Each structure stands twice: as C-alpha cells, then as structure tokens.
Amino acid sequence: MSSPQDTIHDPFKAWKFLVFPIIRTSDIFSFLVKTVLLLCTLLSIFLVFSSAFSNQFQWLSCPGCDRISLAGHHKLTRSNFSSDSHRVTNVSHILFGIGGSAKTWNDRRHYCELWWRPNITRGFVWLEEKPPETDVWPVTSPPYKVSEDTSIFKYTCGYGSRSALRIARIVKESFELGLDNVRWFVMGDDDTVFFIDNLVSVLGKYDHNQMYYIGGNSESVEQDVIHSYNMAYGGGGFAISYPLAKELVRILDGCINRYHSFYGSDQKVQACISEIGVPLTEELGFHQVDIRGNPYGLLAAHPLAPLVSLHHLDYVQPIFPGMNQIDSLHKLVKPYEIDPGRTLQQSFCHDLNHSWSVSVSWGYTIQLYPSLITAKQLETTFLTFQTWRSWSHDPFTFNTQPLSEDPCERPVVYFLDGIESVGQGQTLTRYKRHVEESYRSCDRPEYAGLQAVQFVNVTTASTLNHDIWNMAPRRQCCDIINGQKEVVEVNIRGCNQFESVTPP
C-alpha cells in the first residue's frame, strides 16, 4: 500500500487510490460497453433517416424514372428541389417550348426529330388546335399540347399574324405546368434545329438561380433595325432562367396587350423582359439564319462559340451540295455526335514548304490556299448569301468578304466525306474536293500542286472538352503534314504558348 507521501507526490497514484475502491473494474467495462452500444444505435437510426431523406429526392432528378409525370400539373416551388441545386446543369433541367402548327407539323417535324431525344429531352410542341384524330402522332416527335385561346388579346400589326400571340405565351403556359426540376425554359420554332449538348454547355456557364435571358440577334442588320438589336430572335431559340420566367409570367398577358403593334412573339417577349429590367445575354452559337441563298460562308466561318441552333433552313440552299436539306443536316450531325463542341470550329495553319494556307471548319469544310493568308482574312466570312428581307449583299452584323468569280482568287474547297473514331477520343475526318458544275481551273503555276490534292484528312488527339467554353476563348491551332500527292494531312491541337498564325 502507498504511503500518504507517495499519494501526494504522484497524482496518478492518488487518482487510483481514491477511485478504485469505489468502482470495480468490471463495472467500468460494463459501462463502456453499454455506452458504445447506445452510440452505435443512435448512429444507425441517423443513417437510416438520412438515406430515406436522400431517396425521397433522388427520383425528382432522374429524367428516366417512372415517377416523373412530364404531362402532369405539379404545382411545386423551387424550394422543393433545393437538394438538386448543386448539380451541374444537364439536359433534364431544360424544358423546351416549340412553336408549331397542326397544319404544317408533318412537313416540319423532321427538323425537330433531328435533335429530339425521346425519354431524355423534356418539353412540348404547342399547336393552335388538336391534330386530326386520323393522324397518329409520331413517337419520334416531341409530345404536343394545344395552346390556350388568345382571341381576347389585341394584335394590330398589319403585316403579321395573330399566331404571334399564342407563341409568345408558350413560356407562360410551360411555366404553369409546374413541372419539377426545371432550370431553363428554351423557346424555339418547329423548324429550329438544336444541338443539345452544346446548348447544355452554354447554359451551364450561367447561374440558373439568377434572372437570365440568353439568345442571339439576326444576321441581317435590316431585321435588327426593324425589330430590335436587344432581342433574342425566337427562331434561333432563346433561354429564360426559372427566376426570370417566374417574374415574366406575372406580367406577360398585360404586357402582350401593351405591345399589340409588335410583329413577332419574340419581340413581345423581349419587350416584357425589358420591363423587368433584364438585358439580353448574347451567345454567338444561336443562329436565326436570317439570310437567303447559300449559307456556306456563314457556316465555314463560324464564330468561336459552340454551335447551338440553326433556323430558317427551308429558306437557304442545302448546307452540303448535291443533297437535300434534311440529308445535309444528318451528315452534319454525324461529326457533331462524336465531338459536339468542335463542330464548325475553325483552325488555321500554314505549310511553309509549299507556301500553302488551310482553314478548317471541323466537321463541315476545308479551304486550301496556294499562298500564305493572314488569320484576319481566313476568319472573315465569304459572302455567299444575301440579306433576309431585301436580298441585298449587305449589311450584316459581322464582317464579310466577296467570293471572287476568278478561280485564281478563290480557295480550293473540300466538303466532309466521312468521319471515324481512331482511338480514345481521337477522330479522323475526311474531306473531298468539291468541283462546281461551272468550274474553271486556274492555270497559274502555284495552283498546279494544289489542284492535285483530292482529299484532306484531319486528325484530332481528343474531343474538345466542354470546359473550354468556361475559359477565355481561343481558336485551336493546327499543323499541315506532308502526305501523299493527292492527300493533305492536317492535325488539330491546342496552341502552344506564344504561338500565332503569322506568315513569315
């Protein structure tokens, strides 16, 4: 036994001396076991309730789950879906409202069916009346709804159509469906072709909890002068975030009457959004295609932005020669499905050995020059089209350059001939020389070697990462690789530091 002196100078011995006579070792062990068991029980109960709470919301964000009723009228608030707000925007967060007509749907549905993904995309085609009962609604088309009666609204535009009223109200009627988990309402026409993956990339840059109005202007200045420079043109499509839609539907009907003299639905919607105080956020990938003639120059010099939409395709020549428009679009969609963000993106480079220049519009066309051309000239749109309203050669909302009739002042043009994946993310696109019926060859010596080239093969090391659109934009670089006499090889890659497309 310890002496009193030992107890005073050794605290541990003092604790042991005081406690152990009171609590036996077996009692301590029993107490600890019971405590651990109690803590385990409480933790298990917490995990069970946490899992149940999580599962309660999981079905709400699952676009393919049976519990989502897309046609239902769920009057739900945003607070019901706060658990989803941290997720990256995807296609299930978009509700499409497509302005259509029962009378013309069978003629135009092929445009919608190019991009609509049954059981994945969400939305409706809004018609003025129910289709004939004898017509079977295609399963490849978006489902339809019939617009509400708009006869009570004023419309005094002498050269327009009252259909603008019901199309303007699509965003309101879509919102009032109360569908769950909607971040963006995207409006378009029945002849609008959307490129869904790129649309998601564009919308994903913006905070859907803020009020955003996103779209593009007309290409023809005369259209912008008549309608508005500050408006997202409806055929090219536009997106309205949920918070803005919530504000817009409150004033829309009265606002439509205030702007009864305005021609189009998109003009009326923009005027109402202006009353809320939200400006247009312009994205260059939305294309109204307010042009006439051959769209080649417009598409071959696409801006540095994801291709989001194309409109008015019935009013321009097919984008690939020798094909109808629908088949042309199917051809363009093939490279898009493999590398969405790269579609129509330009790359320029020089072959110093031959003094050649090349302009690549990926997935569409190649322009090959027998001289060293500046990047400024290569990026400028060839004027292969006219204005929408007057069929004039200008003005447009972007720079253009004439396409000379002299074959010695024109590039040699190649169109997409095929595409294949050649590795993990690697692609090979093949472009074949196009010879017009009225073709006249150039007899200058510098053109001799160029005219022997029948194909251009373009390789990429990887698909274009969608995250690139969240950074400061920069056109990708390329190299011309000497190939066979009839084939030129081009490799597209990211640019190196201090690299530029500068002729020596």
Side-chain angles (χ1 to χ4, degrees):
M1 181 171 295
S2 302
S3 65
Q5 289 80 5
D6 292 335
T7 302
I8 294 172
H9 296 290
D10 190 338
F12 175 77
K13 289 183 178 179
W15 175 87
K16 184 178 178 182
F17 177 79
L18 294 172
V19 175
F20 270 42
I22 302 172
I23 303 177
R24 293 176 300 173
T25 302
S26 59
D27 292 335
I28 294 175
F29 180 78
S30 176
F31 173 79
L32 291 175
V33 169
K34 290 179 180 178
T35 302
V36 170
L37 289 175
L38 178 61
L39 290 174
C40 289
T41 301
L42 292 174
L43 180 60
S44 298
I45 294 172
F46 172 81
L47 291 175
V48 168
F49 276 96
S50 175
S51 176
F53 183 82
S54 175
N55 290 336
Q56 178 183 356
F57 288 91
Q58 187 176 13
W59 67 269
L60 296 173
S61 58
C62 175
C65 295
D66 293 337
R67 293 182 68 179
I68 292 182
S69 175
L70 193 58
H73 295 257
H74 306 296
K75 302 299 181 181
L76 301 172
T77 64
R78 293 293 286 178
S79 60
N80 292 111
F81 305 101
S82 58
S83 63
D84 180 70
S85 61
H86 68 282
R87 295 179 58 204
V88 175
T89 294
N90 61 56
V91 69
S92 72
H93 296 125
I94 300 172
L95 187 66
F96 289 94
I98 306 302
S101 169
K103 297 179 177 64
T104 61
W105 179 249
N106 283 330
D107 296 326
R108 290 191 162 190
R109 66 182 177 88
H110 304 290
Y111 288 118
C112 280
E113 290 173 351
L114 277 165
W115 60 269
W116 184 258
R117 301 172 184 174
N119 301 318
I120 297 176
T121 39
R122 307 170 67 193
F124 303 93
V125 176
W126 292 83
L127 308 176
E128 79 283 13
E129 62 186 9
K130 193 173 182 178
E133 294 184 1
T134 55
D135 291 354
V136 178
W137 191 260
V139 295
T140 51
S141 295
Y144 74 86
K145 283 191 175 293
V146 178
S147 299
E148 295 176 1
D149 181 27
T150 57
S151 59
I152 62 172
F153 294 97
K154 294 173 62 177
Y155 187 80
T156 59
C157 181
Y159 58 92
S161 168
R162 286 188 61 87
S163 62
L165 296 171
R166 71 174 188 84
I167 293 175
R169 296 185 77 253
I170 286 177
V171 63
K172 176 180 172 69
E173 294 185 43
S174 296
F175 182 90
E176 290 177 344
L177 294 176
L179 301 184
D180 57 65
N181 202 20
V182 177
R183 294 183 180 181
W184 297 95
F185 295 87
V186 173
M187 305 295 112
D189 286 354
D190 53 4
D191 61 342
T192 304
V193 176
F194 285 106
F195 295 83
I196 298 294
D197 300 280
N198 291 339
L199 173 64
V200 170
S201 292
V202 167
L203 297 182
K205 296 192 303 181
Y206 300 98
D207 181 358
H208 61 277
N209 294 306
Q210 304 297 318
M211 291 193 290
Y212 276 107
Y213 168 51
I214 301 172
N217 289 134
S218 171
E219 294 82 2
S220 293
V221 169
E222 58 191 22
Q223 286 288 91
D224 292 322
V225 169
I226 292 172
H227 300 295
S228 177
Y229 280 98
N230 302 320
M231 178 180 85
Y233 281 68
F238 59 86
I240 295 176
S241 64
Y242 187 98
L244 178 56
K246 188 175 181 180
E247 293 285 329
L248 178 62
V249 299
R250 183 179 60 85
I251 66 168
L252 187 62
D253 285 349
C255 186
I256 287 175
N257 274 333
R258 278 192 292 282
Y259 299 102
H260 56 84
S261 64
F262 283 7
Y263 166 79
S265 59
D266 45 9
Q267 194 178 14
K268 295 175 185 292
V269 169
Q270 188 274 328
C272 300
I273 292 176
S274 177
E275 293 187 0
I276 299 171
V278 176
L280 171 65
T281 298
E282 187 172 4
E283 281 285 346
L284 298 178
F286 289 85
H287 295 290
Q288 176 75 2
V289 194
D290 273 350
I291 59 174
R292 305 282 185 167
N294 188 347
Y296 174 79
L298 179 68
L299 300 179
H302 193 274
L304 191 56
L307 171 64
V308 174
S309 67
L310 294 171
H311 179 50
H312 275 159
L313 295 169
D314 278 340
Y315 299 92
V316 293
Q317 296 172 17
I319 62 177
F320 285 101
M323 305 178 71
N324 63 44
Q325 195 65 282
I326 294 297
D327 289 341
S328 287
L329 290 165
H330 277 291
K331 188 172 184 177
L332 183 65
V333 165
K334 287 181 180 178
Y336 160 75
E337 289 177 339
I338 294 176
D339 198 346
R342 196 183 296 279
T343 305
L344 297 188
Q345 295 305 302
Q346 286 186 292
S347 293
F348 311 142
C349 48
H350 297 135
D351 180 351
L352 300 182
N353 293 326
H354 295 88
S355 292
W356 288 355
S357 302
V358 66
S359 171
V360 178
S361 178
W362 191 88
Y364 180 51
T365 188
I366 302 285
Q367 296 168 4
L368 200 55
Y369 297 80
S371 58
L372 300 180
I373 307 296
T374 64
K376 178 61 180 175
Q377 186 175 346
L378 292 171
E379 74 177 6
T380 303
T381 303
F382 276 121
L383 193 57
T384 61
F385 46 85
Q386 296 81 43
T387 61
W388 174 255
R389 183 174 294 272
S390 63
W391 293 68
S392 302
H393 291 293
D394 56 31
F396 295 96
T397 56
F398 45 83
N399 294 326
T400 62
Q401 59 179 322
L403 183 61
S404 175
E405 294 295 331
D406 185 348
C408 295
E409 296 179 2
R410 301 174 66 157
V412 178
V413 174
Y414 303 77
F415 281 101
L416 179 71
D417 188 51
I419 181 170
E420 58 181 300
S421 297
V422 292
Q424 188 66 33
Q426 298 176 318
T427 62
L428 169 63
T429 45
R430 186 175 178 87
Y431 304 81
K432 184 178 180 181
R433 185 178 175 185
H434 173 65
V435 179
E436 298 179 2
E437 294 181 2
S438 59
Y439 173 74
R440 291 184 298 116
S441 62
C442 176
D443 56 5
R444 293 179 186 173
E446 63 266 27
Y447 267 85
L450 198 64
Q451 290 178 346
V453 177
Q454 299 300 311
F455 296 94
V456 179
N457 292 339
V458 178
T459 56
T460 62
S462 63
T463 56
L464 196 65
N465 193 324
H466 283 288
D467 290 340
I468 197 172
W469 304 119
N470 296 324
M471 299 183 287
R474 184 182 184 184
R475 186 179 59 240
Q476 288 210 305
C477 293
C478 64
D479 300 302
I480 300 178
I481 304 168
N482 293 332
Q484 303 172 14
K485 183 178 180 180
E486 295 186 351
V487 180
V488 167
E489 307 283 346
V490 177
N491 178 59
I492 296 178
R493 56 174 173 77
C495 298
N496 300 318
Q497 188 178 20
F498 306 123
E499 182 174 6
S500 61
V501 185
T502 306

